[in-house]
Amino acid sequence: MSLLALATRYNWKGLEDFCKQVFQKAGVPEQSAAIVAESLVQADLRGVDSHGVVRTAIYLKRMEAGMIDAFADVEKVSESDATVLVDGKNNFGSVIGTKALDIALEKAKRNGASFVGVKGSNHFGTGAYYAMKAIEQDMILLVMSNASQTMPPTGGVRPFIGTNPLAVGVPSGKELPFILDMATSVVARGKIIVSAQKGESIPLGWAIDKDGNPTTDAHAALEGSVLPMGGPKGYAISMFIDILAGVLTGAGFGKYVNNMYENWEQPQNVGHLFIAVDINRFIPVDLFKARMDQYIREIKQEPKAPGVDEILIPGELEYRRTLERKENGIELPIKVVEELAGIGQSYGIDLAKAAYEHAKNEGAKSWN
């Protein structure tokens, strides 16, 4: 393997193409492979590295073990004017999520709003991935998902609920759109996984060990539990999401959402809920965008606390990080690079071609 293959900075488009080729070689249909690859690299671009290409290996392992069916037909189970229940049939989470999003947006355009529940899914990436697609169509989107047990109920020690994420996307005009994408834990468990891979400690207050003691050891945290944000408030929101995404849809909930890293006998059965709103049913979308611009500008013009240079809106840091990483490449941990290079080698795909310096030398700046 060349030294270039062990570079740690990668061109985003080259990395996306590498991942797409890997999934295709593994037997994933081309369109699905493109969706999965895009969702992973978009996470890395936004700085959500815990949901980026680091997940490539586990996705492939789940598929090879029969825990993901890349050829399953995502189907509607039931439907009304404003609601749809989708069975993902255990396909890739981002493939199922993209199908559910398309249904939600189409139905909202027809009826003003829609609620699309999903069962039989897997880890679907970041909620922002779907929020940004809805924004492109001038729609408001709320999307939530449950996850396997990683967080205790307030007052408990043992994991019972997931770090169930919530994302909201709202379009604007000349200003950046509002994009909230958050886990209901103090920190996404994926960040602790990344810290463990890097051999780094974690901040106190992120997690407890298996005995309920606060810990800064990432490995001990993974054996224990991450903590809900805001104590009982985060616990309540996570439970609320589990009810809507899991209990309501017929998906797994609580201890019945299976862990992708630990359970190799059963599919995950993750649940999602997509809520789409057609702005034009309230006020003309251009007027809404102008009002959003005004709102955002006035927030950013508010008096600043000592030491604060700028007031940011949700999603703004990630937007800037995306621009920077598209220009200068995505930095990956060496362990992730070695893992990806090994996967690529097994399929005859050279990760080195996605390296930032290689892409620049080959005149691939157009990828940016």
Side-chain angles (χ1 to χ4, degrees):
M1 188 177 297
S2 69
L3 291 176
L4 188 55
L6 294 178
T8 56
R9 189 173 293 273
Y10 290 84
N11 173 278
W12 75 276
K13 192 61 179 174
L15 193 58
E16 186 175 309
D17 188 56
F18 169 83
C19 289
K20 177 186 174 183
Q21 289 184 58
V22 162
F23 283 108
Q24 280 189 266
K25 287 284 189 178
V28 180
E30 182 178 2
Q31 185 177 13
S32 295
I35 290 171
V36 176
E38 181 186 52
S39 70
L40 293 174
V41 174
Q42 285 296 318
D44 279 314
L45 282 173
R46 289 174 58 80
V48 190
D49 302 334
S50 58
H51 287 55
V53 296
V54 67
R55 300 270 179 164
T56 302
I58 190 64
Y59 282 8
L60 289 171
K61 288 176 183 176
R62 296 288 297 178
M63 187 182 77
E64 291 165 1
M67 298 295 101
I68 293 177
D69 183 356
F71 290 91
D73 291 324
V74 180
E75 65 178 29
K76 296 178 182 178
V77 176
S78 61
E79 182 174 10
S80 71
D81 287 345
T83 66
V84 178
L85 176 61
V86 170
D87 187 345
K89 297 289 187 178
N90 201 36
N91 207 316
F92 283 94
S94 53
V95 173
I96 297 166
T98 298
K99 176 67 173 179
L101 174 67
D102 290 343
I103 293 171
L105 296 180
E106 187 276 330
K107 188 167 281 288
K109 289 175 183 176
R110 187 188 308 166
N111 299 307
S114 65
F115 291 74
V116 177
V118 178
K119 66 177 181 177
S121 189
N122 288 286
H123 183 269
F124 78 162
T126 65
Y129 177 69
Y130 309 98
M132 290 189 292
K133 290 182 179 296
I135 286 170
E136 290 173 359
Q137 297 190 40
D138 288 337
M139 305 284 274
I140 293 173
L141 183 77
L142 290 77
V143 57
M144 57 193 78
S145 177
N146 63 8
S148 57
Q149 297 172 283
T150 50
M151 224 166 48
T154 297
V157 172
R158 190 172 62 182
F160 183 85
I161 51 177
T163 59
N164 304 333
L166 169 68
V168 181
V170 182
S172 57
K174 295 181 179 180
E175 300 299 324
L176 294 178
F178 173 96
I179 300 177
L180 168 69
D181 189 4
M182 52 169 268
T184 47
S185 55
V186 174
V187 66
R189 189 171 186 269
K191 289 188 176 181
I192 299 178
I193 293 173
V194 171
S195 294
Q197 290 175 334
K198 292 181 178 180
E200 298 174 349
S201 62
I202 60 173
L204 195 64
W206 276 17
I208 54 176
D209 64 21
K210 62 183 180 181
D211 297 316
N213 301 308
T215 184
T216 59
D217 186 317
H219 293 283
L222 293 176
E223 292 179 0
S225 307
V226 295
L227 294 172
M229 65 173 189
K233 293 182 180 180
Y235 155 52
I237 294 172
S238 182
M239 186 175 174
F240 163 74
I241 292 171
D242 209 7
I243 291 168
L244 291 185
V247 178
L248 179 66
T249 64
F253 60 86
K255 63 183 180 180
Y256 305 109
V257 182
N258 295 311
N259 190 298
M260 74 162 76
Y261 293 95
E262 297 173 5
N263 190 322
W264 295 95
E265 297 181 358
Q266 297 169 301
Q268 281 196 276
N269 196 18
V270 175
H272 320 304
L273 184 69
F274 293 77
I275 304 172
V277 179
D278 184 357
I279 295 166
N280 276 313
R281 299 301 182 104
F282 291 84
I283 60 175
V285 69
D286 288 342
L287 175 59
F288 175 83
K289 287 182 174 182
R291 287 168 60 82
M292 278 295 295
D293 284 350
Q294 177 187 351
Y295 182 50
I296 291 167
R297 288 168 188 152
E298 290 180 0
I299 280 182
K300 294 179 74 68
Q301 291 168 2
E302 280 294 288
K304 301 169 187 62
V308 174
D309 296 324
E310 182 181 8
I311 293 173
L312 303 176
I313 65 167
E316 190 165 2
L317 277 177
E318 291 83 357
Y319 173 80
R320 294 178 182 181
R321 193 174 291 123
T322 296
L323 293 181
E324 189 276 328
R325 291 187 174 189
K326 282 188 173 183
E327 179 66 25
N328 299 315
I330 296 171
E331 186 76 25
L332 297 176
I334 189 62
K335 288 186 177 180
V336 175
V337 171
E338 291 170 347
E339 187 172 60
L340 290 176
I343 292 170
Q345 197 171 48
S346 68
Y347 290 116
I349 305 169
D350 190 2
L351 179 63
K353 292 181 179 179
Y356 179 73
E357 287 301 322
H358 175 83
K360 188 165 65 174
N361 293 338
E362 290 294 312
K365 292 291 282 184
S366 59
W367 280 348
N368 294 329

PDB file of all heavy atoms in Angstrom, residues 192-215:
ATOM      1  N   ILE A 192     -18.178   9.496  21.446  1.00  0.00           N
ATOM      2  CA  ILE A 192     -17.425   8.706  22.416  1.00  0.00           C
ATOM      3  C   ILE A 192     -16.744   7.539  21.703  1.00  0.00           C
ATOM      4  O   ILE A 192     -15.596   7.184  22.022  1.00  0.00           O
ATOM      5  CB  ILE A 192     -18.344   8.207  23.552  1.00  0.00           C
ATOM      6  CG1 ILE A 192     -18.953   9.409  24.287  1.00  0.00           C
ATOM      7  CG2 ILE A 192     -17.571   7.327  24.526  1.00  0.00           C
ATOM      8  CD1 ILE A 192     -19.916   9.043  25.397  1.00  0.00           C
ATOM      9  N   ILE A 193     -17.426   6.966  20.711  1.00  0.00           N
ATOM     10  CA  ILE A 193     -16.819   5.899  19.916  1.00  0.00           C
ATOM     11  C   ILE A 193     -15.569   6.409  19.212  1.00  0.00           C
ATOM     12  O   ILE A 193     -14.518   5.756  19.212  1.00  0.00           O
ATOM     13  CB  ILE A 193     -17.830   5.351  18.887  1.00  0.00           C
ATOM     14  CG1 ILE A 193     -18.980   4.634  19.604  1.00  0.00           C
ATOM     15  CG2 ILE A 193     -17.146   4.403  17.899  1.00  0.00           C
ATOM     16  CD1 ILE A 193     -20.106   4.217  18.682  1.00  0.00           C
ATOM     17  N   VAL A 194     -15.673   7.610  18.626  1.00  0.00           N
ATOM     18  CA  VAL A 194     -14.520   8.209  17.943  1.00  0.00           C
ATOM     19  C   VAL A 194     -13.390   8.465  18.932  1.00  0.00           C
ATOM     20  O   VAL A 194     -12.217   8.194  18.643  1.00  0.00           O
ATOM     21  CB  VAL A 194     -14.923   9.513  17.229  1.00  0.00           C
ATOM     22  CG1 VAL A 194     -13.694  10.254  16.707  1.00  0.00           C
ATOM     23  CG2 VAL A 194     -15.875   9.216  16.076  1.00  0.00           C
ATOM     24  N   SER A 195     -13.713   8.965  20.132  1.00  0.00           N
ATOM     25  CA  SER A 195     -12.690   9.214  21.164  1.00  0.00           C
ATOM     26  C   SER A 195     -12.001   7.912  21.561  1.00  0.00           C
ATOM     27  O   SER A 195     -10.782   7.875  21.754  1.00  0.00           O
ATOM     28  CB  SER A 195     -13.322   9.874  22.395  1.00  0.00           C
ATOM     29  OG  SER A 195     -13.793  11.167  22.086  1.00  0.00           O
ATOM     30  N   ALA A 196     -12.783   6.840  21.677  1.00  0.00           N
ATOM     31  CA  ALA A 196     -12.211   5.545  22.027  1.00  0.00           C
ATOM     32  C   ALA A 196     -11.271   5.061  20.926  1.00  0.00           C
ATOM     33  O   ALA A 196     -10.189   4.530  21.205  1.00  0.00           O
ATOM     34  CB  ALA A 196     -13.322   4.526  22.269  1.00  0.00           C
ATOM     35  N   GLN A 197     -11.673   5.277  19.680  1.00  0.00           N
ATOM     36  CA  GLN A 197     -10.823   4.868  18.556  1.00  0.00           C
ATOM     37  C   GLN A 197      -9.523   5.654  18.529  1.00  0.00           C
ATOM     38  O   GLN A 197      -8.471   5.128  18.152  1.00  0.00           O
ATOM     39  CB  GLN A 197     -11.585   5.043  17.242  1.00  0.00           C
ATOM     40  CG  GLN A 197     -12.720   4.057  17.043  1.00  0.00           C
ATOM     41  CD  GLN A 197     -13.525   4.347  15.788  1.00  0.00           C
ATOM     42  OE1 GLN A 197     -13.577   5.475  15.315  1.00  0.00           O
ATOM     43  NE2 GLN A 197     -14.162   3.322  15.243  1.00  0.00           N
ATOM     44  N   LYS A 198      -9.594   6.914  18.921  1.00  0.00           N
ATOM     45  CA  LYS A 198      -8.402   7.765  18.921  1.00  0.00           C
ATOM     46  C   LYS A 198      -7.572   7.603  20.187  1.00  0.00           C
ATOM     47  O   LYS A 198      -6.474   8.152  20.292  1.00  0.00           O
ATOM     48  CB  LYS A 198      -8.811   9.239  18.785  1.00  0.00           C
ATOM     49  CG  LYS A 198      -9.402   9.621  17.437  1.00  0.00           C
ATOM     50  CD  LYS A 198      -9.751  11.100  17.413  1.00  0.00           C
ATOM     51  CE  LYS A 198     -10.298  11.543  16.075  1.00  0.00           C
ATOM     52  NZ  LYS A 198     -10.647  12.989  16.064  1.00  0.00           N
ATOM     53  N   GLY A 199      -8.107   6.869  21.167  1.00  0.00           N
ATOM     54  CA  GLY A 199      -7.408   6.706  22.436  1.00  0.00           C
ATOM     55  C   GLY A 199      -7.446   7.959  23.290  1.00  0.00           C
ATOM     56  O   GLY A 199      -6.567   8.184  24.126  1.00  0.00           O
ATOM     57  N   GLU A 200      -8.486   8.783  23.094  1.00  0.00           N
ATOM     58  CA  GLU A 200      -8.606  10.035  23.827  1.00  0.00           C
ATOM     59  C   GLU A 200      -9.591   9.902  24.982  1.00  0.00           C
ATOM     60  O   GLU A 200     -10.519   9.086  24.952  1.00  0.00           O
ATOM     61  CB  GLU A 200      -9.071  11.157  22.882  1.00  0.00           C
ATOM     62  CG  GLU A 200      -8.110  11.457  21.745  1.00  0.00           C
ATOM     63  CD  GLU A 200      -8.662  12.449  20.753  1.00  0.00           C
ATOM     64  OE1 GLU A 200      -9.874  12.763  20.825  1.00  0.00           O
ATOM     65  OE2 GLU A 200      -7.902  12.906  19.891  1.00  0.00           O
ATOM     66  N   SER A 201      -9.415  10.736  25.994  1.00  0.00           N
ATOM     67  CA  SER A 201     -10.370  10.783  27.098  1.00  0.00           C
ATOM     68  C   SER A 201     -11.557  11.656  26.689  1.00  0.00           C
ATOM     69  O   SER A 201     -11.494  12.377  25.690  1.00  0.00           O
ATOM     70  CB  SER A 201      -9.712  11.334  28.359  1.00  0.00           C
ATOM     71  OG  SER A 201      -9.266  12.659  28.135  1.00  0.00           O
ATOM     72  N   ILE A 202     -12.622  11.593  27.466  1.00  0.00           N
ATOM     73  CA  ILE A 202     -13.797  12.408  27.196  1.00  0.00           C
ATOM     74  C   ILE A 202     -14.034  13.359  28.368  1.00  0.00           C
ATOM     75  O   ILE A 202     -13.585  13.093  29.488  1.00  0.00           O
ATOM     76  CB  ILE A 202     -15.044  11.530  26.979  1.00  0.00           C
ATOM     77  CG1 ILE A 202     -15.338  10.675  28.228  1.00  0.00           C
ATOM     78  CG2 ILE A 202     -14.875  10.665  25.736  1.00  0.00           C
ATOM     79  CD1 ILE A 202     -16.650   9.915  28.157  1.00  0.00           C
ATOM     80  N   PRO A 203     -14.718  14.468  28.155  1.00  0.00           N
ATOM     81  CA  PRO A 203     -14.981  15.406  29.254  1.00  0.00           C
ATOM     82  C   PRO A 203     -15.854  14.783  30.338  1.00  0.00           C
ATOM     83  O   PRO A 203     -16.737  13.965  30.047  1.00  0.00           O
ATOM     84  CB  PRO A 203     -15.715  16.559  28.559  1.00  0.00           C
ATOM     85  CG  PRO A 203     -15.311  16.471  27.131  1.00  0.00           C
ATOM     86  CD  PRO A 203     -15.160  14.996  26.861  1.00  0.00           C
ATOM     87  N   LEU A 204     -15.615  15.178  31.560  1.00  0.00           N
ATOM     88  CA  LEU A 204     -16.449  14.745  32.676  1.00  0.00           C
ATOM     89  C   LEU A 204     -17.866  15.295  32.476  1.00  0.00           C
ATOM     90  O   LEU A 204     -18.042  16.438  32.103  1.00  0.00           O
ATOM     91  CB  LEU A 204     -15.865  15.248  33.996  1.00  0.00           C
ATOM     92  CG  LEU A 204     -16.391  14.613  35.281  1.00  0.00           C
ATOM     93  CD1 LEU A 204     -16.039  13.134  35.321  1.00  0.00           C
ATOM     94  CD2 LEU A 204     -15.816  15.331  36.507  1.00  0.00           C
ATOM     95  N   GLY A 205     -18.845  14.451  32.717  1.00  0.00           N
ATOM     96  CA  GLY A 205     -20.229  14.883  32.540  1.00  0.00           C
ATOM     97  C   GLY A 205     -20.878  14.327  31.284  1.00  0.00           C
ATOM     98  O   GLY A 205     -22.090  14.429  31.109  1.00  0.00           O
ATOM     99  N   TRP A 206     -20.064  13.714  30.415  1.00  0.00           N
ATOM    100  CA  TRP A 206     -20.612  13.106  29.208  1.00  0.00           C
ATOM    101  C   TRP A 206     -21.275  11.768  29.510  1.00  0.00           C
ATOM    102  O   TRP A 206     -22.282  11.430  28.894  1.00  0.00           O
ATOM    103  CB  TRP A 206     -19.510  12.880  28.171  1.00  0.00           C
ATOM    104  CG  TRP A 206     -19.194  14.065  27.319  1.00  0.00           C
ATOM    105  CD1 TRP A 206     -19.513  15.358  27.554  1.00  0.00           C
ATOM    106  CD2 TRP A 206     -18.461  14.040  26.078  1.00  0.00           C
ATOM    107  NE1 TRP A 206     -19.035  16.162  26.540  1.00  0.00           N
ATOM    108  CE2 TRP A 206     -18.390  15.382  25.627  1.00  0.00           C
ATOM    109  CE3 TRP A 206     -17.868  13.031  25.325  1.00  0.00           C
ATOM    110  CZ2 TRP A 206     -17.743  15.729  24.435  1.00  0.00           C
ATOM    111  CZ3 TRP A 206     -17.223  13.378  24.140  1.00  0.00           C
ATOM    112  CH2 TRP A 206     -17.164  14.720  23.694  1.00  0.00           C
ATOM    113  N   ALA A 207     -20.693  11.000  30.428  1.00  0.00           N
ATOM    114  CA  ALA A 207     -21.134   9.615  30.600  1.00  0.00           C
ATOM    115  C   ALA A 207     -20.818   9.097  31.989  1.00  0.00           C
ATOM    116  O   ALA A 207     -20.060   9.710  32.762  1.00  0.00           O
ATOM    117  CB  ALA A 207     -20.455   8.728  29.548  1.00  0.00           C
ATOM    118  N   ILE A 208     -21.414   7.934  32.284  1.00  0.00           N
ATOM    119  CA  ILE A 208     -21.113   7.197  33.514  1.00  0.00           C
ATOM    120  C   ILE A 208     -20.649   5.800  33.120  1.00  0.00           C
ATOM    121  O   ILE A 208     -20.945   5.309  32.027  1.00  0.00           O
ATOM    122  CB  ILE A 208     -22.343   7.097  34.441  1.00  0.00           C
ATOM    123  CG1 ILE A 208     -23.547   6.502  33.689  1.00  0.00           C
ATOM    124  CG2 ILE A 208     -22.688   8.456  35.031  1.00  0.00           C
ATOM    125  CD1 ILE A 208     -24.789   6.283  34.546  1.00  0.00           C
ATOM    126  N   ASP A 209     -19.894   5.142  34.016  1.00  0.00           N
ATOM    127  CA  ASP A 209     -19.468   3.771  33.739  1.00  0.00           C
ATOM    128  C   ASP A 209     -20.599   2.803  34.096  1.00  0.00           C
ATOM    129  O   ASP A 209     -21.690   3.222  34.502  1.00  0.00           O
ATOM    130  CB  ASP A 209     -18.168   3.443  34.476  1.00  0.00           C
ATOM    131  CG  ASP A 209     -18.304   3.478  35.995  1.00  0.00           C
ATOM    132  OD1 ASP A 209     -19.443   3.354  36.519  1.00  0.00           O
ATOM    133  OD2 ASP A 209     -17.268   3.613  36.675  1.00  0.00           O
ATOM    134  N   LYS A 210     -20.344   1.522  33.959  1.00  0.00           N
ATOM    135  CA  LYS A 210     -21.402   0.525  34.157  1.00  0.00           C
ATOM    136  C   LYS A 210     -21.922   0.480  35.594  1.00  0.00           C
ATOM    137  O   LYS A 210     -23.008  -0.061  35.848  1.00  0.00           O
ATOM    138  CB  LYS A 210     -20.906  -0.855  33.732  1.00  0.00           C
ATOM    139  CG  LYS A 210     -19.723  -1.372  34.534  1.00  0.00           C
ATOM    140  CD  LYS A 210     -19.255  -2.716  33.989  1.00  0.00           C
ATOM    141  CE  LYS A 210     -18.060  -3.244  34.781  1.00  0.00           C
ATOM    142  NZ  LYS A 210     -17.584  -4.559  34.243  1.00  0.00           N
ATOM    143  N   ASP A 211     -21.162   1.055  36.515  1.00  0.00           N
ATOM    144  CA  ASP A 211     -21.596   1.086  37.917  1.00  0.00           C
ATOM    145  C   ASP A 211     -22.271   2.398  38.286  1.00  0.00           C
ATOM    146  O   ASP A 211     -22.636   2.614  39.447  1.00  0.00           O
ATOM    147  CB  ASP A 211     -20.399   0.851  38.837  1.00  0.00           C
ATOM    148  CG  ASP A 211     -19.775  -0.527  38.637  1.00  0.00           C
ATOM    149  OD1 ASP A 211     -20.547  -1.504  38.529  1.00  0.00           O
ATOM    150  OD2 ASP A 211     -18.529  -0.619  38.570  1.00  0.00           O
ATOM    151  N   GLY A 212     -22.394   3.299  37.310  1.00  0.00           N
ATOM    152  CA  GLY A 212     -23.059   4.568  37.558  1.00  0.00           C
ATOM    153  C   GLY A 212     -22.146   5.687  37.999  1.00  0.00           C
ATOM    154  O   GLY A 212     -22.616   6.757  38.403  1.00  0.00           O
ATOM    155  N   ASN A 213     -20.828   5.463  37.920  1.00  0.00           N
ATOM    156  CA  ASN A 213     -19.870   6.489  38.343  1.00  0.00           C
ATOM    157  C   ASN A 213     -19.474   7.386  37.167  1.00  0.00           C
ATOM    158  O   ASN A 213     -19.258   6.888  36.052  1.00  0.00           O
ATOM    159  CB  ASN A 213     -18.610   5.828  38.909  1.00  0.00           C
ATOM    160  CG  ASN A 213     -18.909   4.939  40.093  1.00  0.00           C
ATOM    161  OD1 ASN A 213     -19.550   5.370  41.046  1.00  0.00           O
ATOM    162  ND2 ASN A 213     -18.476   3.690  40.037  1.00  0.00           N
ATOM    163  N   PRO A 214     -19.362   8.700  37.373  1.00  0.00           N
ATOM    164  CA  PRO A 214     -18.886   9.588  36.302  1.00  0.00           C
ATOM    165  C   PRO A 214     -17.517   9.138  35.817  1.00  0.00           C
ATOM    166  O   PRO A 214     -16.683   8.688  36.610  1.00  0.00           O
ATOM    167  CB  PRO A 214     -18.805  10.953  36.997  1.00  0.00           C
ATOM    168  CG  PRO A 214     -19.743  10.862  38.158  1.00  0.00           C
ATOM    169  CD  PRO A 214     -19.667   9.433  38.613  1.00  0.00           C
ATOM    170  N   THR A 215     -17.263   9.225  34.513  1.00  0.00           N
ATOM    171  CA  THR A 215     -15.987   8.762  33.960  1.00  0.00           C
ATOM    172  C   THR A 215     -15.514   9.649  32.822  1.00  0.00           C
ATOM    173  O   THR A 215     -16.320  10.289  32.145  1.00  0.00           O
ATOM    174  CB  THR A 215     -16.114   7.313  33.451  1.00  0.00           C
ATOM    175  OG1 THR A 215     -14.847   6.846  32.996  1.00  0.00           O
ATOM    176  CG2 THR A 215     -17.115   7.215  32.307  1.00  0.00           C
TER     177      THR A 215
END
